Structure formats: structure tokens, C-alpha cells
Amino acid sequence: MMWALTSLLLAGVARAAIPNAMLRGMPSLPKIPVPEHSITSPNGTVLPNVTTTYYFNQLIDHNNPGLGTFQQRYWMNWEFYEPGGPIILMTPGELNADGFQGYTTNKSINGLIAQQQNGAAILIEHRFFGYSNPYDNLTTQSLALLTIQQAIDDLVYFATTADLPMPGGDAVKPNQAPWIMVGGSYSGALTSYTMVNKPGIFWAGYLSSATVETITDYYDYFTPIREYMPQNCSSDIQAVIAYLDGMYAANDTAGIQTLQEAFSLGGLKHVGDFATALQYNVFSWQSLQPDVGPGAMFYQFCDLLEVKDGINAGPDGWGLDHAINSWGNYWNTTFYNLTCQHQDAETCIGTFNPTDSYWTNITVNNSNRSWFWMVCNQIGFYQVGPPEGQPAIVSRIVQSSFIERQCVTMFPQVFASPPETPTAETNAMYAGWNMNVPRLFFANGLRDPWRGGTVSADGLNKPNTTSMPIYMSDGFHTSDMVTDNGVLDPTIAVVQEAGLRYMKEWLAEWKPSTW
């Protein structure tokens, strides 16, 4: 699979070259620029560069400490720290944490909290992602220790035992100084899960786009996209999808083959893989942020569908024939080469060859494999077509069973047949939408495709209280975590200011304790 893509197309395409639908829409965080220089604290002290890597001896298995430890990477910035200030802890979640050190600076909500409260910010890598691995491989035997509970226990063990590299860093355990957890997307959910499962360790939490309620058939991923994308583009995509699904229902294999060939995808052997490929362009919505303009891949795609001879289509679009020609031409001239480069369609996009290295690669620093393990075993969130009767910008051919089959392909040692991911069990264990924990601040975005798993899901109507306040911006996925987004979008600024205000109030209530 080729990842070396350039320019603005990078963010939108990078996950498109993955045959697994779940992973192109992986709920990860936007990167923040990392300072390339040493930082000087307000009192003039020159501090280590925030890219300085530290290592913590983390337990391999919290249920069996005798197995020993592994080195868990973390990064830290204490430029604003003064004795008595809080420790702000975050894991970026399901990816290699290197390159995300900007979340320890005031370019992030983490750093803004640290600056306001004279605190220190830490970024810690999640077990089995990047180079924080209990074992030197990602076999299913090793991955058995990749669970939500082990991740929770990692954070608690770090907070309660780590001696931090800053002056006085051996005397800031949670009974000596307030600890705040910050997280976005999955790591935001992990913040909630940790404070539900291990109360009394972390004093407060800031949760951005936190997907706290695990959902198996997550067709609502595409609902905010359909609602907020240009209506003419949505109309034409829906026309093509309805045409494909109609042929599938009628078993019109010849018609489907003709449609695939219009997209340079005639070599795909399974219609489910073709239906998945048509999701690629919709997935590029997730790379949007307030600082991304009309040159973003998603809007380039819609312009190619909707602007004809300099004229913009009306809200109903140009209709099926033009949509097929324009969308297919986009694949033929641009998107296929960006996605597959020199590979044939079946090699690039097909999901039915279990010997492909994509499924068999067990080397470390393979976020796709580690995340899919969590998806298959605990998290779900299969991005599928909607039920009949609802507007569809992705095909109903793609259902959970189509993706669960891939759990067998990647992890045949564990799954003899497609698993039914126990999302209800996960929600029961960690409370999902039903958490009731004091001092949790929720920040969500209207345009976030993951909003359906957050406390701002449509129809949920979770109470907004001073103990668990819920704020919504017009932003996208975890937009409020990036400081500059508040400058660009006043609705995000309101969320950030509220979060800072609540942190100030809650921290004023904290008192040291004895364990």
C-alpha cells in the first residue's frame, strides 16, 4: 500500500489506499505543528525540546505484574508549570504518537489549560501503537493484551507511579497535584472510560468528539456529511448509489460491471469492494477543518461533479448520467493513480486475498492492525450503508457482515467466523452515553461524522449540567482541540473558552489527599 502522497491531497487520500473501510475513516486527531526549537519558560529557563522522548516502565499485563514491563514512550512540556499546578495527560490514541507533540504546547487545548493553570502537559503513546509495544510483534497472541481495560490501567499506573522529568516531578502524583485527562475521538472516549472505571485518580476531563457509545452498525457516520456537504453534490452521489444498489438488488451483474469500468475498477472481483471504493471520496470529509479552504480534496471532488461549463448545478445536481461520467472521470484521471499508483484494482482495493501482506504483516508500528484488533473485539463502529428509507450517500451493499468478515481475514487465529463485536458489553462495562462522572467537559462539532457516538448524538438529549457540561461548535472532528481553530471559527472559540472556564473552577476545588 502506497502512502507517499503530496500536497493538500495527502490527508484525504492517505487512508484511501487501505482496503479496509473501517481504517480509512479511523477516528484520529489532526496534527498540530511541532516546535523545532527548545522552549524557554516565562522565568527564562531553557527547557528540553518538546520532541524529547521519555520512557516509562509500563506493566505488560496489569492482571499479571510478574510478566514484567515494557517501555512506553511519552513527551512532556513544562514551560508554564509552577508548583501546585495540574498535570494534563493525553494519549493521541490509535496511532504512532510521534509528530503529535504539538498537543503539549499552547497550540492545543491541552497547552491552553496548562498555560492558564500553570500546569505541565504530557503526551503518552497508547500501548501497541507506534513504538510502545509489550512485545516485538503484533501477533494475535501479543494483541490479546490490547484491550480498553489494559489501556485504562496504563494511564492510571503512569499517573500514580511515574517520576516525571521536570524539577519536582517525583512529587506530583494524583494525591499531591491535580491530574486532568484530555482526549479527542477514541482517546476522548478513553478519558470517560478511565474516569468511570477508576474514579478518584483524575480530577477532571476534557473530551473532544469523544465516541463514548460504541455502535456496531454506524451508518450515522455519513449523516453529518450528507447534511452539511453541498446539496447538489449529495444529490448526484445519491443518484449513483441508488443506481448501483438497484442493480445489485436485481442481480444485474453486467450493469454493475459496466459501472465499475466507468471508474477504472472493472478488475474488482467483488461488488462489495467496488461499493467500498465509492466511499473513498466521501471519507475525505473527515480531513476537513476550519483552516481548510475550497482546495480541500472533498470540495475539489464535488466541484468536478457539479460545475459544468462554468455553471454550478442546482440543489438536485445534474442527474445520474452526468454524475457517473464526472465521478468516473475523476477516478480515471486523478483519483485512481493517487490511490493505487501502479497497482491493479484488485491488488489495491480488493479485500478477499488473505495472503496479501496488508492482512499478514505483524511488525510493530502498524496502527491499522492494532486499531482493527480493537474494532473487531470491542469497539465496532462499522461505517455502513443506512437502513432502507433513509437517504444514502454510500451503498447499502456494505454492511457490518462485510467488514466483520475482514476480522477473520486479518486475525484467523482468533476468529473462525465473522464476530459479532460486543459493543453492548463495552457500553455496559464503561457506561457509554450513561456515564455519570463529575467534572467532565464535553466538546463536539456539528459537522463531525463521529458525532453520533458522542453525547451530542441526534435524539439523545443528554442533560447539559454544570458537572458534565456539553458544548457544541460548528466545527468538524476534534476541531476545538486546535487553538487556531478558535481564531477562525467563533463558535469554536466559545467552546474553548467554556472549557478553560470550567477547568479553572474545578481546579479551584481540588485539595491534596492521602491514599
Side-chain angles (χ1 to χ4, degrees), residues 349-372:
I349 296 171
T351 62
F352 285 80
N353 179 6
T355 65
D356 190 307
S357 62
Y358 176 81
W359 306 108
T360 60
N361 179 11
I362 59 170
T363 57
V364 299
N365 192 30
N366 182 350
S367 295
N368 298 329
R369 182 175 178 87
S370 296
W371 178 242
F372 199 47

Side-chain angles (χ1 to χ4, degrees), residues 387-402:
E388 291 288 347
Q390 294 190 20
I393 57 173
V394 295
S395 172
R396 294 182 178 88
I397 295 170
V398 180
Q399 292 298 317
S400 292
S401 58
F402 183 80

Side-chain angles (χ1 to χ4, degrees), residues 20 138-141 143 146 359-362 368-377 404-417 419:
N20 184 304
L138 299 180
T139 63
T140 54
Q141 183 177 0
L143 289 172
L146 175 54
W359 306 108
T360 60
N361 179 11
I362 59 170
N368 298 329
R369 182 175 178 87
S370 296
W371 178 242
F372 199 47
W373 172 266
M374 301 189 76
V375 164
C376 294
N377 282 284
E404 288 166 340
R405 168 192 57 81
Q406 297 170 37
C407 297
V408 180
T409 307
M410 188 168 273
F411 308 113
Q413 302 85 355
V414 172
F415 301 114
S417 59

